[in-house]
Amino acid sequence: MFTAQDDLRLALRGLLDQEYDVTANSANFGSLLYHSLPDLNWVGFYWLQDSELVLGAFQGKPACVRIPLGRGVCGTAAATQEPQIVADVHTFPGHIACDADSRSELVLPVIVNSSLLGVLDLDSPIANRFDEQTVTLVSDLLSIWCAHQYANI
């Protein structure tokens, strides 16, 4: 019997099948997360360009376009190359409030062959939204996405 997590993995693989355009695949991946995981108000990618993150495909309200490395949750995840799980963004030093409704945040660095490419950002209007199970699931899905998207790097 398949679990909901297995269904998401299968759905992502189906969306990626025979498609390698990074814009198309990042948009579909973000949409899958946004519409499948409860209590999210924003999901999207920021891509590393020089010394800042630049907005990529996303679902949700308009967002900050450029984020310096080391600033906010996304910039911190990029600078440290470590996931950031923030239970209450209002307590995070230097938090950048693109959407005043966001309360918690999960940011995973997109790293391929030891190179930082950007970050995947998930926001929620619910404090402490991102439990260990959600972090593991989104990390697994991001690994599937990266393995497909950058198989030839």
Side-chain angles (χ1 to χ4, degrees), residues 77-91:
T80 63
Q81 296 189 19
E82 293 290 332
Q84 299 294 306
I85 305 150
V86 181
D88 184 352
V89 295
H90 300 298
T91 65

Side-chain angles (χ1 to χ4, degrees), residues 22 26 29 42 44-57 65 67-70 73-84 106-122 142-143 145-146 149-150 153:
V22 69
S26 60
F29 180 29
W42 200 90
F45 285 90
Y46 281 92
W47 299 113
L48 182 63
Q49 291 183 14
D50 300 319
S51 61
E52 63 186 357
L53 297 169
V54 178
L55 181 64
V65 175
I67 299 174
L69 292 182
V73 182
C74 288
T76 299
T80 63
Q81 296 189 19
E82 293 290 332
Q84 299 294 306
L106 168 62
V107 181
L108 300 174
V110 178
I111 299 172
V112 176
N113 294 334
S114 302
S115 294
L116 176 72
L117 302 181
V119 298
L120 173 60
D121 181 19
L122 289 77
L142 181 59
S143 293
W145 187 86
C146 285
Q149 192 62 49
Y150 301 105
I153 292 183

Side-chain angles (χ1 to χ4, degrees), residues 88-145:
D88 184 352
V89 295
H90 300 298
T91 65
F92 191 89
H95 173 252
I96 301 169
C98 295
D99 182 348
D101 292 334
S102 292
R103 286 293 312 276
S104 59
E105 191 165 359
L106 168 62
V107 181
L108 300 174
V110 178
I111 299 172
V112 176
N113 294 334
S114 302
S115 294
L116 176 72
L117 302 181
V119 298
L120 173 60
D121 181 19
L122 289 77
D123 294 357
S124 174
I126 309 294
N128 204 26
R129 160 64 182 88
F130 300 104
D131 59 15
E132 186 175 321
Q133 182 180 4
T134 303
V135 173
T136 299
L137 174 62
V138 176
S139 296
D140 289 350
L141 292 168
L142 181 59
S143 293
I144 291 167
W145 187 86

